[in-house]
Amino acid sequence: MKYTAHDTARLYDEPAKGGVLPGAAPSRRSPFSRDRARVLHSAALRRLAGKTQVVGPGEGTEVYGVPRTRLTHSLEVAQIGREIAEELGCDPDVVDTAGLAHDIGHPPFGHNGESALDMAAREHGGFEGNAQTLRILTRLEPKEPAAGLNLTRAVLDATVKYPWPRIEGRRKFGVYADDQAVFGWIREGAPERRCCLEAQVMDWSDDVAYSVHDVEDGVRAGRIALGVLADAEERSAIAELAAAHFSAEPLSELEAAAAHLLDLSAVAAAVGYDGSLGAQVTLKRLTSELVGRFASAAVSETRRVYGDGDLTRYAADLVIPRQAAVEVALLKSLALRYVMSDPARLAMQERQRELLTQLLKSLEQHAPEALEPAFQSAWRTAANDSERHRVLIDQVASLTDAQAVAWHGAFAH
């Protein structure tokens, strides 16, 4: 059996469903299939439709058309991860569910909002989107009392990209101090600070999805012209960004790899995109071929190292070929240089951070009445100021972009 009773265990036992009609056949769904359904039907996942991926929902639709949101991105990550899992012998529902859930801890305005909340919570344990995801899955999202969605151990572990608590000097972490007990249960028997294979597949699928799709959206919006890859000065700037943010490879190798991106026929064909139907088909073909290129590269290299058997949990690590990792880093840098570093966008992001900071201060003055009912009760039962501050963070993090703006207008006078 690929997965054991330890992997399928839930933190709390659940009673049998009471609404089944007499004589109905018992459900044949696996525990992992049930978990996928729980995340798919959760309010936390639905809220991602109103949260920023690169541009905000509804922002600049005259330029971007219908931009990706955190929800559509999560659906894409889940689909890519499912295909890789099927090739490696992981349970596809485990990876699919991790892909759906991996961003539900993101606050309004995406990573920009994450920075604002982390600064506001620095004296109370900080804020980190991945730690917030764990908190939502195991505590905040209503399904079972005091257990969140009460997912299986293997699925929860597959969502953990950073299996360690907050560490001084390290920006990323996966669990807040007051969620350590459930984190310890999830990680029971797991090697310290090592992600399971399913989490690694989810993480690579996330990298592939947002590197390729952000470039696709940027090209469609006229912000990215792939022809810049033929310019040595631009290639150098793109490589420098990759070296600074996404890759530990030498700058010279990144520059060389950037020059070779145009050797890919799908990339070359998309140069000169003009928005015509034929150009849209070519751009979509580019997206499809790059996703397939990076997914199959990881599968092939992992199989080369670990062989043909079913690979699950801690029996293997995902092996990413160097060339694929470099190309993904360069695609991320394209989006960073031509979309995310736009001065108008940076000014808007500063305003968004100020908005969230002001909203937190205003809610503190009007709490608990200004909070949603579930957070009102958490506020009233909090033992100290630090716990009450965490309730405020949970409330603001749960809001969509539009809700954050509306709440700021209502409370931040």
Side-chain angles (χ1 to χ4, degrees), residues 10 34 36 48 53 55 60 65 104 173 214 218 220 248 262 268 273 287 289-290 313 315 317 336 342 365 369:
R10 303 184 189 277
R34 291 179 183 275
R36 181 180 181 278
L48 295 184
Q53 173 63 11
V55 299
I104 63 173
F173 61 96
D214 287 359
R220 184 180 291 111
L262 282 176
Y273 177 84
T287 302
E289 291 200 12
L290 287 179
R313 303 282 279 145
D317 288 308
L336 179 58
D342 176 68
Q365 295 170 2
E369 289 77 17

Side-chain angles (χ1 to χ4, degrees), residues 179-264:
D179 293 323
Q180 281 280 10
V182 69
F183 180 77
W185 177 84
I186 294 167
R187 298 288 296 171
E188 188 177 305
E192 188 174 1
R193 297 192 182 182
R194 179 183 168 193
C195 293
C196 64
L197 176 62
E198 292 85 350
Q200 295 175 49
V201 172
M202 176 271 288
D203 195 18
W204 177 241
S205 301
D206 186 22
D207 276 357
V208 170
Y210 81 75
S211 64
V212 174
H213 295 140
D214 287 359
V215 169
E216 178 193 345
D217 284 352
V219 170
R220 184 180 291 111
R223 299 291 182 90
I224 296 175
L226 293 174
V228 300
L229 293 169
D231 184 293
E233 186 174 333
E234 287 299 304
R235 285 200 307 269
S236 178
I238 293 164
E240 287 176 4
L241 284 174
H245 298 283
F246 307 119
S247 177
E249 297 296 334
L251 183 59
S252 59
E253 294 193 17
L254 290 167
E255 289 187 20
H260 286 299
L261 280 176
L262 282 176
D263 293 341
L264 298 175

Side-chain angles (χ1 to χ4, degrees), residues 40-96:
L40 189 64
H41 292 289
S42 68
L45 183 67
R46 292 197 301 275
R47 282 194 293 267
L48 295 184
K51 298 194 179 190
T52 295
Q53 173 63 11
V54 175
V55 299
E59 175 196 338
T61 52
E62 70 282 357
V63 176
Y64 286 90
V66 182
R68 285 177 166 86
T69 65
R70 284 281 161 186
L71 177 59
T72 58
H73 165 70
S74 297
L75 295 173
E76 289 164 340
V77 172
Q79 185 271 329
I80 294 169
R82 188 176 191 92
E83 289 192 3
I84 295 175
E86 288 172 344
E87 293 291 335
L88 294 179
C90 306
D91 189 294
D93 282 324
V94 173
V95 178
D96 192 325

Side-chain angles (χ1 to χ4, degrees), residues 21 44 100 106 132 175 234 302 363 377 387:
L21 289 172
L100 291 174
H106 269 285
Q132 193 70 15
V175 57
E234 287 299 304
T302 303
L363 287 180
S377 60
E387 289 187 7

Side-chain angles (χ1 to χ4, degrees), residues 158-182:
T159 70
V160 178
K161 290 172 59 174
Y162 306 106
W164 53 78
R166 190 185 189 200
I167 299 171
E168 190 66 33
R170 179 175 279 187
R171 187 169 61 91
K172 294 292 187 180
F173 61 96
V175 57
Y176 300 124
D178 56 351
D179 293 323
Q180 281 280 10
V182 69

Side-chain angles (χ1 to χ4, degrees), residues 145-165:
L149 293 178
N150 199 29
L151 304 178
T152 60
R153 179 183 275 113
V155 164
L156 286 171
D157 200 20
T159 70
V160 178
K161 290 172 59 174
Y162 306 106
W164 53 78

